[in-house]
Amino acid sequence: MKKALITGITGQDGSYLAELLIDKGYEVHGIIRRSSSFNTGRIEHLFKDPHVKDAKMFLHYGDLSESGDLVKIIENIKPDEIYNLGAQSHVKVSFDQPEFTVNVDGLGTLRILEAIRDYQQKSGKQVRFYQAGSSEMFGKVQEIPQKETTPFYPRSPYACAKLFSHWQTVNYREAYGLFALNGILFNHESPRRGETFVTRKITRAATRIKLGLQDKLFLGNIDAKRDWGFAGDYVEAMWLMLQRDKPDDYVVATGETHSVREFLEETFSTLELDWNKYVEVDERYFRPSEVDFLLGDSSKARKELNWKPKVDFKGLVKMMVESDMKIAEKEKAVSHI
């Protein structure tokens, strides 16, 4: 039985990846931060689902800002694969908390790489490492579409931190022979997306508006264009990368771009609503420096990994709307009590 360690296991990607690995027979370990409340809602079903009752899943307290935590956890678990998905992942927040973002998203990766290098030297066991890159690293795009060889031009503290992690991963691969690689993932969404991210913010608000629980939705730049895919599809690409004979970096994307405006139109039309009546642009939600256009070329991943997205744009929106409608219906039912 292979062992996998996932940082950020309680997040959107971490929960889908844990499901995938458990289904493939892995023993899954996840790192979670200590807090005053539990944040395991996305993975609790993995402990309760009768179909995975024989799978092994363990959670460990730790933090990407603490080298000692990472060294101890890796030495105790002895993982075959490590997926670094933990991050302060909100771009707008990174402008408000740049130092924290860089410490976790940038130096956190360096701490893991050093812990892996130290563990491999002591044990002689190879650990395969996946670093979660981001299309935000392309920022002010230098080429359309963006692929593995496209020059980077980050436009936020988040993107700069991710770029630091990207090149440290390449450096440790080349300098020390680590099986370390980067997945440069374009935007990927799901019903498990955090509610502060624009796609989930839209589907949550639209369903609440439909049921009379909310009047308005305030957004920033609705003309920004993104390449949106389904998170469940993208975690499969992560796993496939670590099954290769040699480590390499891959762009993961749908190859289609849609504006926030289009996401609004699709969401509200699904609910038979006119978004223009309910949405207002608020400059408070604009970034100090914007990323206007992202479109990924994942031809390398499709060819070498035999990967392709299964859920299209309309299917993604429909999935999220249906999920959030159930939540809104429960909210309405409670409001009547």
Side-chain angles (χ1 to χ4, degrees):
M1 181 183 290
K2 283 186 178 181
K3 294 182 181 180
L5 174 62
I6 304 172
T7 71
I9 194 171
T10 60
Q12 171 188 252
D13 292 8
S15 66
Y16 281 112
L17 179 60
E19 284 180 350
L20 176 75
L21 296 178
I22 287 174
D23 187 55
K24 292 184 179 297
Y26 279 65
E27 178 179 300
V28 175
H29 296 259
I31 296 178
I32 60 173
R33 287 179 295 172
R34 285 193 182 274
S35 65
S36 58
S37 59
F38 289 108
N39 183 32
T40 55
R42 294 185 179 96
I43 57 174
E44 283 180 356
H45 67 286
L46 295 176
F47 296 100
K48 301 173 183 177
D49 190 335
H51 297 295
V52 294
K53 63 182 179 181
D54 295 325
K56 293 184 177 180
M57 181 168 168
F58 304 93
L59 300 180
H60 308 264
Y61 285 115
D63 199 296
L64 289 173
S65 64
E66 294 289 340
S67 299
D69 288 351
L70 300 171
V71 169
K72 181 172 65 176
I73 290 171
I74 291 172
E75 287 182 349
N76 289 340
I77 295 172
K78 301 176 175 58
D80 298 286
E81 300 171 1
I82 296 178
Y83 298 84
N84 183 30
L85 312 183
Q88 188 301 99
S89 57
H90 200 287
V91 176
K92 180 65 168 64
V93 172
S94 77
F95 285 100
D96 300 322
Q97 294 187 297
E99 186 175 342
F100 172 73
T101 300
V102 171
N103 187 23
V104 174
D105 299 11
L107 292 176
T109 304
L110 181 61
R111 294 181 184 109
I112 296 176
L113 289 166
E114 267 296 290
I116 292 172
R117 185 167 76 94
D118 182 64
Y119 171 71
Q120 288 192 174
Q121 286 179 337
K122 293 177 180 177
S123 68
K125 177 182 178 179
Q126 183 191 65
V127 179
R128 299 189 171 208
F129 175 71
Y130 171 87
Q131 166 58 22
S134 170
S135 59
E136 288 286 330
M137 298 187 300
F138 293 118
K140 189 174 181 180
V141 298
Q142 305 298 294
E143 180 182 31
I144 298 174
Q146 297 88 54
K147 51 184 181 289
E148 292 81 6
T149 56
T150 301
F152 297 114
Y153 196 138
R155 299 269 282 171
S156 66
Y158 167 79
C160 290
K162 282 291 185 180
L163 189 54
F164 174 89
S165 291
H166 175 93
W167 285 118
Q168 288 291 4
T169 300
V170 172
N171 182 50
Y172 272 67
R173 180 170 72 216
E174 296 178 352
Y176 303 116
L178 265 61
F179 194 107
L181 55 81
N182 296 282
I184 308 171
L185 273 58
F186 280 64
N187 293 66
H188 44 289
E189 320 298 317
S190 76
R192 301 179 193 174
R193 187 61 143 152
E195 294 182 20
T196 59
F197 292 87
V198 66
T199 52
R200 187 78 195 289
K201 186 176 179 180
I202 290 171
T203 57
R204 278 288 281 140
T207 52
R208 298 186 84 250
I209 289 170
K210 179 69 175 181
L211 298 185
L213 298 170
Q214 186 171 329
D215 298 320
K216 290 286 184 180
L217 168 60
F218 297 93
L219 296 173
N221 179 15
I222 64 173
D223 293 315
K225 292 185 175 182
R226 295 291 185 270
D227 185 328
W228 276 305
F230 172 51
D233 290 341
Y234 284 33
V235 298
E236 182 184 15
M238 299 178 189
W239 176 78
L240 287 169
M241 290 179 208
L242 290 195
Q243 310 317 305
R244 299 282 293 172
D245 292 334
K246 295 181 179 179
D248 202 356
D249 306 322
Y250 295 90
V251 162
V252 179
T254 69
E256 295 181 9
T257 188
H258 298 272
S259 66
V260 176
R261 187 187 300 272
E262 289 177 80
F263 200 99
L264 280 168
E265 291 172 348
E266 186 65 28
T267 299
F268 278 79
S269 64
T270 300
L271 297 167
E272 298 181 335
L273 295 172
D274 180 1
W275 70 270
N276 292 284
K277 296 180 179 179
Y278 307 101
V279 178
E280 293 185 12
V281 173
D282 190 330
E283 291 187 359
R284 290 179 301 172
Y285 295 106
F286 278 73
R287 302 176 184 177
S289 55
E290 185 59 78
V291 174
D292 297 313
F293 186 96
L294 292 174
L295 174 63
D297 177 0
S298 60
S299 56
K300 179 180 175 182
R302 294 175 191 239
K303 179 181 178 181
E304 296 186 11
L305 306 178
N306 195 27
W307 174 89
K308 65 179 180 179
K310 301 179 182 69
V311 179
D312 63 11
F313 179 71
K314 288 181 178 291
L316 175 63
V317 173
K318 184 174 184 289
M319 177 196 303
M320 294 176 68
V321 169
E322 289 177 349
S323 176
D324 279 334
M325 179 55 77
K326 292 178 182 177
I327 296 174
E329 287 171 346
K330 289 180 181 178
E331 287 179 327
K332 187 167 185 176
V334 171
S335 70
H336 288 317
I337 299 175

